[in-house]
Amino acid sequence: MLECSQLQVRYREGEHDLLALDRVDLRLEPGRVLALVGESGSGKTTLARSLLGLTDKNARIDGVVRLDGEELTGFSEGAWNRVRWARIAMVGQNGAAALNPVLSIGAQVAEPLIEHRGLGSGAALAQAEMALTAMGLDPAAARRYPHELSGGQIQRALLAMALILDPQVLILDEPTAALDPPARQFVGEVIRDQRRRGKAILLISHDLDSCRRLADRVAVLYLGRILEELPARDLFANPCHPYTRALVRSYPRIDGVRDLGGMRGDAFYRMVHAHDRLAADHVHTMGSGDPGENGHAPERGCLFAPRCTQAEAACREEEPELCSVGGHRLRCRRGGIVNLLELHQVEKAYAGVPALAPVDLRLRQGEVFGLVGETGSGKSTLAMIAAGALRPDGGQRVFAGRDLEDWLRRERSTLARQVGIVQQHPALAVSPRFDVFGIVAEPLRIQGQTDSADVLRERVTRALVEVHLPTAPEFLRRLPHQLNQGALQRLCIARALITEPLLLIADEPTSALDPSVQAKILKLLLDLQIEKGLTLLLVTHDLGLARKVCDRIGVMHAGRLVEVGNAAQVLQRPAHPYTRELLNASYELGDFDECY
């Protein structure tokens, strides 16, 4: 078993240190695969190299690394050399760069046998050829040089070298990067085989699908800190940390349905004053865009808070601990992704005719939730009840942890700031007497947020820029009938977002638009949703649209919510007969079973 405890690595850079790893605790167990994922620069490769004593000379290491109870920290180079290859082997990133260009492949694979087992070159080369053959290479490959092999062949040679001494621990840094699907499949089979043989394996990869299929657990690294450790089966189905969910959204899955979601903002570099080694008050965050005063900004609270979709003021002040939550280890002050809106048994009737049967619905903060169904199924009614614009006949509504009815009674205007609505018919949603400026400014004026004319103009201008509309005086004076449908819809989005709400409800926002404008509006909505950290409730009858933009989907039928789930699950493996009918009608290919 290989484990690290409170591992911290810093690289000296002039008058400061770059904090690459910050008090990391990890354990690699026999017969188990632990995957390590995170953005580039999060510290994954530094962690791998630290476990082998291969950090650069300017690195400063604190904490403990143990192999089967033996502490490796502080080993001399000679002691490390006795551990490397024999007990811990690593396949590094950028495979070709790890090989000596003037030595044959066979000579390099044989080198561990010569160094650790004292074999002669002839015997070592014979075993190297067998190892290469076991990796699916022709024996003649042993006599070739690295530049004569393809990327997939080089990766097989590196695996042969790493496994030739049968080490206890295997560290694989991006083993499938830049490989074609058959080569990735082969590497996956090697990992499974070594797992069956009892190896403890650390798999570092941007290939989240390989991590889900090959690993037992996944650790998520961000700026040198573990934010979540979870069962691999939950990586796509149930990520609990907002950062993990953002990584999953950014990954191009072959069986995914939503387009790439991305993550708002940019990561930072973490700098430490070199003369203050561990003093928390002297740890700073340096941004890649706006570094702040003198290149530094004091660091407090959760590292992910500046990019998080659900960060509160306290998240920027209190540093969260890594705690156990339902089979996950989670570093989140709020206990993971929270519900922004909860509807419990809400119902509605018009003139005694039921429009909405008792419905339960939960919207998670920062997600895109699609509400689909045929006309008259109750979608818009449920959406307006969720927005607080329509009062239900019964049931309970909770918004941001607060009873919505109480909020409406006491502070209706403050609730209105938290919810933006894009109506189904943009031309009917705005006053024909108001110009563009007046339409966008209206919510601020109604809610008394017009501090001054200059501030009002600045906020209106910013809102228009965000939706890619002109800000010239002549455009601001235009009336609604002087705008095309695309510009009018953008105008309604700007008005809905000018109060900086937490929840945006879009009711058929593209139903009256041509396909090219529809695509632009949808891209705009998704970009705004990501960068502002919005929760988006999208009401639509278009399953194709929902398929492209939603994280989760709820299916409405006759006033009832008959199915709710992950978008891929609902659209590829529908559980309710009505969902299957909707899909059949959308595909227009006859029997649904023939479509899948």
Side-chain angles (χ1 to χ4, degrees):
M1 182 172 66
L2 180 66
E3 59 183 334
C4 62
S5 176
Q6 294 293 291
L7 184 61
Q8 181 164 282
V9 179
R10 302 184 304 163
Y11 295 106
R12 178 65 58 89
E13 292 190 354
E15 296 297 320
H16 298 84
D17 286 354
L18 173 66
L19 185 58
L21 289 180
D22 185 10
R23 294 165 286 169
V24 172
D25 296 328
L26 276 183
R27 176 180 295 180
L28 305 182
E29 299 177 340
R32 307 275 287 179
V33 178
L34 175 67
L36 188 64
V37 303
E39 293 173 287
S40 296
S42 59
K44 303 186 299 297
T45 297
T46 293
L47 177 58
R49 296 176 67 86
S50 300
L51 297 177
L52 272 168
L54 291 174
T55 50
D56 295 336
K57 291 182 179 179
N58 66 332
R60 194 172 194 172
I61 303 174
D62 293 284
V64 176
V65 177
R66 294 188 182 90
L67 177 61
D68 290 338
E70 178 184 6
E71 187 170 334
L72 306 182
T73 316
F75 263 24
S76 66
E77 186 64 15
W80 271 117
N81 282 336
R82 288 190 291 273
V83 171
R84 296 174 191 140
W85 298 111
R87 301 177 66 187
I88 309 174
M90 178 176 174
V91 176
Q93 195 173 3
N94 301 322
L99 294 173
N100 189 326
V102 299
L103 290 179
S104 69
I105 295 297
Q108 296 186 63
V109 175
E111 187 177 357
L113 293 169
I114 297 171
E115 293 293 327
H116 288 270
R117 294 189 180 167
L119 294 185
S121 60
L125 280 170
Q127 288 197 30
E129 286 190 12
M130 288 190 291
L132 289 168
T133 302
M135 289 294 111
L137 291 175
D138 189 282
R143 296 185 293 275
R144 294 177 185 161
Y145 291 86
H147 71 275
E148 297 178 303
L149 300 183
S150 68
Q153 290 171 326
I154 285 175
Q155 199 70 340
R156 291 171 189 245
L158 289 171
L159 285 168
M161 189 188 306
L163 297 173
I164 200 163
L165 294 181
D166 196 28
Q168 304 163 258
V169 179
L170 192 59
I171 299 174
L172 306 173
D173 191 357
E174 298 290 357
T176 60
L179 297 184
D180 57 78
R184 287 202 301 268
Q185 185 178 24
F186 177 83
V187 172
E189 288 303 319
V190 171
I191 293 172
R192 290 190 183 97
D193 179 63
Q194 294 303 310
R195 180 175 178 267
R196 286 191 292 268
R197 292 169 183 263
K199 298 286 195 299
I201 301 174
L202 177 63
L203 172 62
I204 300 172
S205 182
H206 293 301
D207 186 348
L208 300 187
D209 192 55
S210 290
C211 292
R212 179 187 62 83
R213 290 185 290 106
L214 299 173
D216 298 285
R217 293 185 67 80
V218 177
V220 184
L221 196 64
Y222 182 73
L223 293 181
R225 303 215 74 181
I226 298 292
L227 295 191
E228 183 172 6
E229 186 180 323
L230 67 160
R233 64 178 180 274
D234 287 349
L235 182 58
F236 291 115
N238 185 33
C240 287
H241 198 285
Y243 177 58
T244 311
R245 178 177 64 182
L247 279 180
V248 169
R249 277 179 173 174
S250 305
Y251 180 73
R253 293 180 65 191
I254 195 168
D255 60 344
V257 290
R258 176 178 169 164
D259 283 349
L260 301 183
M263 192 182 314
R264 71 170 175 170
D266 295 307
F268 299 86
Y269 299 104
R270 302 183 66 199
M271 308 302 291
V272 184
H273 283 298
H275 54 80
D276 287 309
R277 200 168 168 199
L278 292 174
D281 292 340
H282 293 278
V283 178
H284 299 270
T285 302
M286 179 174 285
S288 57
D290 179 14
E293 185 179 357
N294 297 323
H296 293 91
E299 177 193 284
R300 290 181 181 174
C302 176
L303 288 176
F304 191 61
R307 307 175 71 188
C308 186
T309 56
Q310 61 180 45
E312 300 176 320
C315 297
R316 295 176 172 83
E317 299 293 330
E318 303 172 14
E319 182 178 347
E321 297 295 326
L322 196 60
C323 302
S324 295
V325 180
H328 296 217
R329 287 205 305 160
L330 198 64
R331 194 183 300 276
C332 179
R333 182 187 156 273
R334 304 194 68 183
I337 300 169
V338 299
N339 292 327
L340 176 64
L341 176 69
E342 299 178 34
L343 304 181
H344 303 283
Q345 295 292 291
V346 295
E347 54 185 325
K348 183 68 178 178
Y350 297 106
V353 178
L356 197 65
V359 168
D360 290 334
L361 177 64
R362 291 172 176 81
L363 298 185
R364 299 167 184 165
Q365 199 144 6
E367 77 172 344
V368 179
F369 187 96
L371 203 57
V372 303
E374 60 188 301
T375 301
S377 61
K379 305 187 302 297
S380 295
T381 296
L382 182 59
M384 292 304 104
I385 287 175
L390 189 64
R391 186 181 297 277
D393 296 335
Q396 182 186 20
R397 296 177 288 177
V398 178
F399 184 86
R402 182 174 174 182
D403 184 83
L404 195 141
E405 304 298 336
D406 178 69
W407 205 338
L408 285 169
R409 284 195 301 271
R410 297 173 183 269
E411 304 170 65
R412 178 179 291 270
S413 62
T414 62
L415 175 63
R417 296 172 196 166
Q418 305 301 317
V419 183
I421 303 175
V422 179
Q423 301 281 359
Q424 185 170 357
H425 303 291
L428 301 179
V430 298
S431 172
R433 299 180 182 87
F434 283 14
D435 59 15
V436 166
F437 184 91
I439 288 170
V440 180
E442 184 181 18
L444 298 180
R445 286 172 168 154
I446 291 174
Q447 295 162 22
Q449 296 185 50
T450 52
D451 297 331
S452 69
D454 289 341
V455 172
L456 180 63
R457 182 167 294 275
E458 189 275 331
R459 291 187 66 175
V460 170
T461 299
R462 186 169 68 241
L464 290 172
V465 169
E466 286 178 343
V467 299
H468 306 160
L469 283 176
T471 58
E474 56 271 21
F475 181 80
L476 296 179
R477 291 192 294 269
R478 288 187 184 178
L479 296 174
H481 71 273
Q482 296 174 304
L483 303 177
N484 61 42
Q485 285 295 308
L488 191 56
Q489 190 66 292
R490 290 173 188 265
L491 188 66
C492 290
I493 294 171
R495 185 176 68 162
L497 294 178
I498 197 168
T499 60
E500 299 180 357
L502 294 175
L503 173 64
L504 178 65
I505 294 176
D507 190 358
E508 301 284 5
T510 60
S511 59
L513 305 177
D514 67 75
S516 64
V517 176
Q518 180 182 103
K520 291 179 180 179
I521 293 296
L522 284 175
K523 186 177 186 302
L524 172 66
L525 274 176
L526 289 181
D527 288 345
L528 290 169
Q529 187 266 330
I530 291 167
E531 290 303 322
K532 292 179 173 293
L534 293 166
T535 301
L536 174 59
L537 176 59
L538 176 68
V539 179
T540 181
H541 58 260
D542 188 340
L543 285 178
L545 185 153
R547 180 187 185 91
K548 300 293 284 183
V549 304
C550 296
D551 298 300
R552 291 194 303 143
I553 288 177
V555 182
M556 294 287 297
H557 177 56
R560 300 181 182 276
L561 199 57
V562 297
E563 185 168 358
V564 176
N566 177 278
Q569 173 189 331
V570 170
L571 296 178
Q572 295 175 354
R573 295 178 298 277
H576 196 277
Y578 178 69
T579 309
R580 294 167 66 88
E581 288 181 16
L582 275 183
L583 287 166
N584 274 334
S586 296
Y587 281 104
E588 296 183 348
L589 292 175
D591 186 75
F592 177 80
D593 290 330
E594 294 180 3
C595 302
Y596 287 87

